[in-house]
Amino acid sequence: MILSKQSSVSTLHTLTFFLCLLLVGCQILETPSPPSDSIPLIPDILNFIDQRLALVFPIIQAFKNTIISDPLGITATWVGPNLCNYTGFYCDHPLDNLTATTIASIDFNGFQLTAPTLDGFIDQLPDLALFHANSNKFSGTISPKIAGLKFLYELDLSNNLFSGLFPSSVINIPTLSFLDIRYNFFTGTLPPQIFMQTLDALFLNNNNFMLTLPNNLGDTPVVYLTLANNKFTGPIPRSIRKASSTLIEVLLLNNLLTGCLPYDIGFLGNVRLLDVGGNLLTGPIPWSFGCLKKVEQLNLARNFLYGQVPEVVCALGNLANLSLSYNYFTKVGPSCKSLIQRGVLDVRNNCIVGLPDQRSAKECMAFFSIPRSCLHPASFNIIPCQIHWTKPRERTQRHLLSYSALSTNRVLF
């Protein structure tokens, strides 16, 4: 009887255990599902044509929410999963996966958008190769994270409201070949490293950069160098001669550059445009300038230059415009007089006896009453190339790219 009772108890315990399991299992099976609004919107994600687009979608939407003015209604198109149809956004295949689709370039030129910053936007688009945003009202500083954009080769932030020091983070973008940050409010000095960057074009004009130009300026491989309308001081670095193989257009006008024109400029045999007008430069024109065989536009106006205008300069065969006005030159030779007659050479407001529109004798005497000199005076009479005296050809002034950078509009190559 005892065994039978124990057996009954054991059987009861077993039945109770399985009943509990069954009840718990039923409770689990019958647990209500979470509310529908907590389920991830997987159908929407699946509607993106590529996962890379799905990843940047929230980044674009977050940036959209920071825009406080959109007079052209651009952001009204930034809706839905088809990012490739958003106005200003362009899709392509990234270099690391030619079967994928991603946001490869952004062109906001002329959109007039206003936003307090671009941080958290372009620096979070990992496949971005080109970003153009001329003529908007973006402000703030440039995020250091932009250095992580491994495909970025064109960056145009011109004609905006950016401020602060030079955005040194761009130095760490190895693929960058075009940098345009003109018409902003950047200030301070230029880091020497920017002239070691493998750029083709560097447009820094119309900011508040100051102090001296880095001594390694000539290390730059750029074709177009525009540093105009800033507050640079000191001399033009003599290292500029090292850029002779690549440099074609140079704009240094309207700064506070001092000292004498370096003989080394004469080695820039490929230069077509050289403009150092509107500075505080003094001394004579080095004869080495006669080696600028391809130069078409040469502007030395509005400085404190003096002496005779070298005949070797006036004999340059490709000159379309030589502006020496508002200086203190005292003499021109036959070749220069010929350029004056043809309207190529402008020598107004100098001290050249016998020519019209010159400074008064009193003004000239006051200038020359102060002793002036240059370092390495012997170098001013050296011509480091072979001169072939040929009759200058008739030249018409053509569009030079760097001069277009002096307007607020985008630069068109």
Side-chain angles (χ1 to χ4, degrees):
M1 288 294 295
I2 296 175
L3 288 176
S4 176
K5 185 176 181 179
Q6 289 178 341
S7 178
S8 298
V9 171
S10 176
T11 301
L12 180 62
H13 285 170
T14 301
L15 290 173
T16 303
F17 173 75
F18 281 111
L19 180 60
C20 288
L21 282 180
L22 181 61
L23 290 173
V24 170
C26 291
Q27 185 176 12
I28 293 174
L29 289 175
E30 292 177 1
T31 299
S33 299
S36 59
D37 58 359
S38 69
I39 300 176
L41 300 177
I42 293 178
D44 282 351
I45 294 178
L46 294 178
N47 283 336
F48 291 99
I49 61 174
D50 194 285
Q51 183 64 20
R52 297 195 185 208
L53 296 176
L55 292 174
V56 301
F57 173 78
I59 296 167
I60 296 172
Q61 296 303 316
F63 173 65
K64 177 181 177 180
N65 290 333
T66 70
I67 294 175
I68 57 178
S69 179
D70 178 14
L72 303 181
I74 300 297
T75 58
T77 67
W78 300 0
V79 177
N82 195 350
L83 277 60
C84 303
N85 283 347
Y86 287 13
T87 300
F89 291 83
Y90 298 88
C91 293
D92 205 340
H93 305 299
L95 293 177
D96 60 349
N97 186 351
L98 296 181
T99 63
T101 299
T102 189
I103 297 295
S105 62
I106 296 175
D107 187 347
F108 288 170
N109 286 330
F111 282 4
Q112 303 175 41
L113 300 173
T114 302
T117 184
L118 292 180
D119 287 5
F121 177 47
I122 60 173
D123 51 279
Q124 297 299 312
L125 303 178
D127 301 316
L128 194 63
L130 180 151
F131 184 77
H132 285 186
N134 170 268
S135 297
N136 287 277
K137 293 182 181 179
F138 299 137
S139 56
T141 57
I142 307 304
S143 170
K145 295 179 182 179
I146 199 173
L149 301 180
K150 58 184 178 180
F151 301 126
L152 189 67
Y153 70 91
E154 285 194 13
L155 180 61
D156 180 357
L157 303 175
S158 59
N159 195 25
N160 279 281
L161 303 173
F162 293 107
S163 59
L165 299 177
F166 180 89
S168 296
S169 52
V170 302
I171 294 171
N172 299 315
I173 305 176
T175 53
L176 196 66
S177 64
F178 177 94
L179 178 62
D180 185 351
I181 58 172
R182 61 199 165 86
Y183 283 97
N184 279 287
F185 297 92
F186 292 111
T187 189
T189 60
L190 294 184
Q193 296 92 329
I194 193 59
F195 295 109
M196 295 184 285
Q197 190 89 353
T198 54
L199 299 170
D200 296 324
L202 180 60
F203 298 117
L204 307 181
N205 55 285
N206 295 86
N207 279 282
N208 292 314
F209 292 119
M210 59 185 69
L211 301 181
T212 58
L213 293 170
N215 287 329
N216 72 328
L217 179 144
D219 290 333
T220 183
V222 299
V223 177
Y224 305 101
L225 177 62
T226 304
L227 306 178
N229 300 318
N230 282 286
K231 299 175 183 177
F232 293 116
T233 60
I236 298 173
R238 296 189 62 187
S239 67
I240 195 170
R241 67 188 293 176
K242 295 166 64 176
S244 60
S245 62
T246 55
L247 206 53
I248 291 179
E249 298 183 13
V250 190
L251 296 186
L252 300 175
L253 68 152
N254 297 334
N255 280 286
L256 301 170
L257 298 173
T258 57
C260 299
L261 292 168
Y263 152 85
D264 308 83
I265 289 178
F267 289 88
L268 301 177
N270 290 312
V271 160
R272 296 193 183 99
L273 166 61
L274 175 63
D275 193 331
V276 297
N279 281 285
L280 305 173
L281 299 166
T282 190
I285 300 175
W287 288 10
S288 65
F289 277 43
C291 299
L292 301 175
K293 297 179 181 179
K294 294 183 180 180
V295 72
E296 300 173 19
Q297 302 270 346
L298 179 57
N299 181 20
L300 310 178
R302 298 182 182 276
N303 280 287
F304 296 91
L305 304 173
Y306 56 84
Q308 178 174 351
V309 180
E311 282 284 275
V312 291
V313 175
C314 291
L316 288 167
N318 289 309
L319 270 178
N321 182 274
L322 173 58
S323 184
L324 305 178
S325 60
Y326 292 90
N327 280 289
Y328 293 87
F329 293 108
T330 54
K331 187 176 180 181
V332 291
S335 297
C336 294
K337 288 180 179 178
S338 175
L339 293 186
I340 294 171
Q341 293 170 357
R342 291 167 42 204
V344 173
L345 171 57
D346 182 0
V347 289
R348 290 171 300 148
N349 286 281
N350 278 278
C351 300
I352 305 171
V353 176
L355 291 183
D357 302 317
Q358 299 298 296
R359 295 180 187 273
S360 67
K362 181 179 179 181
E363 192 175 0
C364 292
M365 288 179 63
F367 176 81
F368 287 108
S369 67
I370 301 173
R372 303 170 191 278
S373 62
C374 294
L375 297 175
H376 315 293
S379 67
F380 285 84
N381 298 328
I382 298 175
I383 304 176
C385 64
Q386 214 169 15
I387 298 294
H388 300 284
W389 295 86
T390 57
K391 184 179 180 180
R393 294 170 288 175
E394 293 289 337
R395 301 284 300 187
T396 55
Q397 295 188 28
R398 64 171 180 168
H399 169 76
L400 293 166
L401 178 70
S402 296
Y403 273 145
S404 67
L406 298 182
S407 73
T408 57
N409 298 326
R410 64 178 298 187
V411 175
L412 297 175
F413 278 91

